[in-house]
Amino acid sequence: MSSLQELCSGLPLRPLPENRGRWAGVPHAPVRTPDLSPAEEQLALRNALRYFPPDVQKLLAQEFAQELRQFGHIYMYRFCPSIEMRAYPIDQYPCRTRAAAAIMHMIMNNLDPAVAQFPQELVTYGGNGQVFSNWAQFWLTMSYLSKMTEEQTLVMYSGHPLGLFPSSPGAPRLVITNGMVIPNYSSRAEYEKLFALGVTMYGQMTAGSYCYIGPQGIVHGTVLTVLNAGRRYLGIEDLAGKVFVTSGLGGMSGAQAKAAAIVGCIGVIAEVDKSALVKRHRQGWLMEVTDSLDHCIVRLREARKKKEVLSLGYHGNVVDLWERLVHELDTTGELLVDLGSDQTSCHNPFNGGYYPVQLSFSEAQSLMSSNPAAFKNLVQESLRRHVSAINRLAQEKFFFWDYGNAFLLEAQRAGADVEKKGANKTEFRYPSYVQHIMGDIFSQGFGPFRWVCTSGDPQDLAVTDHLATSVLEKAIADGVKASVKLQYMDNIRWIREAAKHQLVVGSQARILYSDQKGRVAIAVAINQAIASGKIKAPVVLSRDHHDVSGTDSPFRETSNIYDGSAFCADMAVQNFVGDACRGATWVALHNGGGVGWGEVINGGFGLVLDGTSQAEQKARMMLGWDVSNGVARRCWSGNPKAYEIICQTMQENSGLVVTLPHEVADEQVIQRALRP
């Protein structure tokens, strides 16, 4: 096994490592079908070989050509490291700066097989969320980080480390862009070609920005979503005996079972890939598993009657599950489900993100590569059946929402009945969870704030949990509005439940939803604890890009923007630039994420707290902008809650001056002005 010192010494060339090919016993990414011309195949090979000196190119050219034709991409399996891939304690990395070591800690966490969906293909989650495009890029990036000083910045072009450039101590140590393709060429077909050529990459949100913390993040988001769905749709706080049906147990969607247990409901989650289902069951995130629809229905009835907390994994296609629930309704009159959604990687429906009900898992994987057109037709037929079953259940007291995975968008493209009459093009028959459930939370400045203890010590995480809880409890005691208090209380409950449910997978990380005040206060408290020695090593602050101002996504994060700017990406770009100007340790800007390539622009950051006064100042400056940028944008889109929050923030911060919109125009005045 190689050491961290060897991992940071550059590409291993003399001798070359043994080519062990694809590993057995770990999940692998589906075969890609980029449909390259002979000239494009030559270009892809030329681009891959440019990382290597001439004396090894002859051998590697044959291997890389075979990978390209067999798997649709050059991953460079020979260079997949033999080291145990995980987030090592920060002091073990051979670096000249703590910031660089923290970044290495985060990169290796993203590629940890316990965390990553397809670790050998460098995919963290979502079916195609890459950390790097190939393993040569990984080795070179680690080498650059080990050499980096406080007066250099590493520049990353879609997985490719361009190099270390002169900079200043106050500038970001790392600037990442992923998938910045000219808009007219940002199509799915073009992406497959460009990725195969090795010139662009789909970093999802937190995969290609090195900020993923395992499925804990989506557990938390799902907990809040289901809690607030119960409040909005069912009018209840206690979800005991209520049934939530959804799909997906791989990558981020694997969190749904644990979220169901935490909120105290009955969760039934369908999954076609047995390895993903078994993984969650072994982790203890699924209480029970079955491949029998009959057994599913029996357990549902039992659990509903006893108000039992249950997470049940169904090994099969979710369309079969939905259609069986329709059958039970039509034959017995009994509605067995209350809430429903979908967490397949439907942003990537034709390359492993969604499996059609007509085929087994293995049959689908085979057809996907052998006949992509036939596979696409079956996926779209399956989506129509999927929606038809949901529509039938929704005629009763059943509530469905789109979980921001492009499910309704792809269903619409497939010809499914999801139209909402008189709606704009970002609305469907069923709402996005941002529109109905989380939109007001974002408008109040609440979003997925997270941190990672780079010591790797669970005790450090326990200290941060206590600090965060104390900060939120103090804020409540000092007096906050009822709506803010509700969110703080939900997150205090979350922290306590997270510790009990052992949600750490990979790095010692925690997530909670907080507003600007809470984020700054928690960051300051953590930084002071590092300075005093209560926390042993630096802590990395980050967030999901799925936040108040990180992402412009008209079918998810900004689906409740109704001023006509939902398809504009100024906010995410300004977020990226603004965070860089205010002290972020690294920043990232991506095309794609969540709902798919070409559908989103999102920005993210990492900020290293090291106990210094400079770190505290950066946290105060940067976290303020990171939240206020999005709240101000929502204020201008006509959201009264955002208007109220930005006004309050202006009163509390003498350095903030924002032009506010006037009263909403009188509709009668507008109608009279536009009369013929």
Side-chain angles (χ1 to χ4, degrees):
M1 185 178 82
S2 57
S3 66
L4 289 175
Q5 187 72 47
E6 291 170 327
L7 206 61
C8 296
S9 60
L11 273 166
L13 298 172
R14 295 173 182 86
L16 288 170
E18 177 189 359
N19 185 3
R20 296 176 294 157
R22 276 191 165 195
W23 298 340
V26 297
H28 288 285
V31 173
R32 312 189 76 92
T33 53
D35 193 25
L36 300 183
S37 68
E40 288 168 332
E41 286 186 336
Q42 291 177 28
L43 183 56
L45 196 55
R46 189 177 303 121
N47 288 343
L49 290 171
R50 61 189 172 181
Y51 291 107
F52 302 93
D55 62 310
V56 298
Q57 287 189 9
K58 183 177 180 180
L59 171 64
L60 295 179
Q62 295 296 323
E63 287 180 14
F64 293 169
Q66 183 179 358
E67 283 186 21
L68 181 63
R69 289 174 172 166
Q70 188 173 356
F71 305 118
H73 188 73
I74 300 171
Y75 296 106
M76 305 184 186
Y77 288 118
R78 177 187 286 270
F79 295 95
C80 185
S82 60
I83 191 171
E84 180 187 354
M85 191 69 70
R86 62 182 177 86
Y88 290 85
I90 189 173
D91 290 335
Q92 294 185 22
Y93 290 98
C95 291
R96 301 171 71 181
T97 74
R98 300 284 265 177
I103 295 166
M104 286 182 169
H105 180 94
M106 302 292 282
I107 288 173
M108 292 188 73
N109 186 67
N110 270 23
L111 293 169
D112 182 340
V115 174
Q117 186 179 14
F118 305 126
Q120 216 183 355
E121 287 76 39
L122 304 110
V123 172
T124 300
Y125 64 86
N128 58 355
Q130 302 286 148
V131 186
F132 299 99
S133 181
N134 58 58
W135 284 106
Q137 294 174 349
F138 167 82
W139 285 91
L140 290 171
T141 299
M142 297 295 278
S143 177
Y144 279 131
L145 287 169
S146 71
K147 296 181 177 75
M148 177 191 288
T149 71
E150 293 286 356
E151 295 185 339
Q152 290 176 312
T153 293
L154 175 59
V155 177
M156 302 293 298
Y157 276 20
S158 290
H160 170 69
L162 199 65
L164 293 170
F165 292 83
S167 188
S168 69
R173 299 280 66 81
L174 174 65
V175 177
I176 303 167
T177 52
N178 282 314
M180 290 291 106
V181 173
I182 303 300
N184 278 356
Y185 303 91
S186 190
S187 67
R188 222 173 243 158
E190 288 290 339
Y191 169 72
E192 290 297 330
K193 284 183 179 288
L194 293 171
F195 180 60
L197 292 176
V199 295
T200 199
M201 191 181 84
Y202 186 66
Q204 271 279 355
M205 290 190 162
T206 53
S209 59
Y210 320 147
C211 293
Y212 190 55
I213 61 167
Q216 179 186 167
I218 193 66
V219 174
H220 178 246
T222 307
V223 164
L224 293 187
T225 300
V226 176
L227 280 176
N228 284 289
R231 290 165 181 157
R232 179 179 181 100
Y233 299 131
L234 306 178
I236 58 175
E237 290 285 337
D238 184 1
L239 287 166
K242 300 301 179 184
V243 176
F244 172 51
V245 171
T246 181
S247 56
L249 285 166
M252 291 200 303
S253 58
Q256 297 177 108
K258 180 59 76 173
I262 290 174
V263 303
C265 71
I266 300 156
V268 184
I269 307 94
E271 172 58 59
V272 293
D273 182 355
K274 189 171 184 178
S275 65
L277 184 138
V278 168
K279 179 179 179 179
R280 297 305 177 200
H281 191 229
R282 285 176 178 165
Q283 287 175 333
W285 289 40
L286 270 174
M287 296 177 185
E288 300 176 16
V289 296
T290 182
D291 59 4
S292 165
L293 278 174
D294 289 341
H295 183 71
C296 270
I297 299 304
V298 169
R299 284 297 286 126
L300 264 183
R301 287 197 166 102
E302 289 175 352
R304 277 164 56 88
K305 184 177 180 180
K306 297 176 183 177
K307 293 192 174 181
E308 179 183 352
V309 176
L310 174 67
S311 57
L312 175 63
Y314 166 59
H315 180 216
N317 197 291
V318 73
V319 178
D320 285 328
L321 177 58
W322 284 121
E323 291 180 342
R324 178 61 181 269
L325 290 167
V326 169
H327 173 76
E328 294 298 320
L329 174 63
D330 289 342
T331 57
T332 70
E334 187 177 12
L335 178 66
L336 293 175
V337 57
D338 303 283
L339 300 170
S341 192
D342 185 87
Q343 269 283 55
T344 57
S345 297
C346 216
H347 69 279
N348 182 35
F350 311 124
N351 198 37
Y354 181 96
Y355 283 80
V357 66
Q358 307 93 323
L359 301 176
S360 70
F361 181 61
S362 59
E363 289 170 342
Q365 287 192 308
S366 175
L367 187 65
M368 192 189 307
S369 58
S370 66
N371 193 338
F375 182 77
K376 179 178 179 179
N377 287 336
L378 289 178
V379 165
Q380 293 190 320
E381 179 187 316
S382 184
L383 282 166
R384 292 193 292 272
R385 282 176 57 179
H386 197 151
V387 168
S388 178
I390 289 166
N391 287 348
R392 171 64 187 97
L393 294 167
Q395 293 172 8
E396 311 298 326
K397 196 179 179 184
F398 160 73
F399 301 92
F400 183 88
W401 67 87
D402 185 295
Y403 213 154
N405 62 334
F407 172 72
L408 291 179
L409 180 63
E410 289 301 331
Q412 180 193 55
R413 290 169 175 166
D417 182 13
V418 294
E419 181 185 358
K420 179 181 178 181
K421 292 182 180 178
N424 63 47
K425 57 186 176 181
T426 65
E427 292 183 283
F428 302 99
R429 174 188 289 233
Y430 304 104
S432 154
Y433 77 120
V434 173
Q435 289 170 317
H436 269 195
I437 302 171
M438 304 301 282
D440 281 347
I441 294 173
F442 282 174
S443 295
Q444 293 178 85
F446 281 86
F449 180 56
R450 52 176 64 159
W451 59 88
V452 176
C453 298
T454 64
S455 66
D457 188 340
Q459 184 55 42
D460 275 358
L461 184 61
V463 173
T464 64
D465 281 349
H466 174 72
L467 290 172
T469 303
S470 299
V471 164
L472 299 185
E473 288 175 338
K474 183 180 185 302
I476 292 171
D478 290 344
V480 292
K481 293 186 308 176
S483 58
V484 173
K485 179 180 178 180
L486 179 65
Q487 295 307 317
Y488 280 168
M489 292 298 294
D490 280 351
N491 282 281
I492 290 169
R493 170 184 173 181
W494 157 256
I495 292 174
R496 290 171 178 155
E497 290 290 334
K500 282 195 294 185
H501 284 267
Q502 300 178 332
L503 291 175
V504 168
V505 177
S507 59
Q508 293 294 319
R510 187 67 74 223
I511 183 173
L512 56 78
Y513 267 48
S514 184
D515 57 359
Q516 179 178 325
K517 270 187 176 179
R519 296 185 207 204
V520 172
I522 291 169
V524 169
I526 290 174
N527 196 60
Q528 290 173 350
I530 297 169
S532 67
K534 292 179 181 176
I535 296 173
K536 292 180 283 299
V539 170
V540 174
L541 301 183
S542 185
R543 57 160 168 74
D544 196 335
H545 302 214
H546 165 59
D547 195 10
V548 180
S549 72
T551 301
D552 283 297
S553 176
F555 296 101
R556 191 163 81 174
E557 283 81 1
T558 46
S559 60
N560 65 334
I561 298 292
Y562 298 123
D563 67 347
S565 69
F567 291 90
C568 300
D570 301 77
M571 181 178 72
V573 175
Q574 289 284 2
N575 178 269
F576 163 80
V577 175
D579 285 354
C581 293
R582 290 170 175 83
T585 308
W586 73 92
V587 288
L589 185 68
H590 297 183
N591 170 6
V595 299
W597 178 264
E599 306 284 358
V600 191
I601 299 293
N602 62 75
F605 77 87
L607 175 64
V608 177
L609 298 178
D610 59 7
T612 62
S613 58
Q614 293 91 337
E616 179 175 323
Q617 182 182 17
K618 288 177 179 179
R620 290 183 184 276
M621 288 286 292
M622 199 221 74
L623 294 174
W625 165 254
D626 197 64
V627 176
S628 289
N629 172 41
V631 174
R633 191 266 178 97
R634 285 171 165 79
C635 169
W636 273 95
S637 74
N639 189 299
K641 292 193 176 180
Y643 184 92
E644 184 181 340
I645 292 294
I646 200 69
C647 287
Q648 179 183 335
T649 306
M650 287 173 66
Q651 291 173 358
E652 295 169 351
N653 187 341
S654 59
L656 177 63
V657 180
V658 178
T659 303
L660 295 174
H662 295 289
E663 293 290 330
V664 176
D666 188 320
E667 286 298 320
Q668 291 184 353
V669 170
I670 294 172
Q671 295 299 327
R672 282 197 296 269
L674 294 175
R675 280 178 191 155

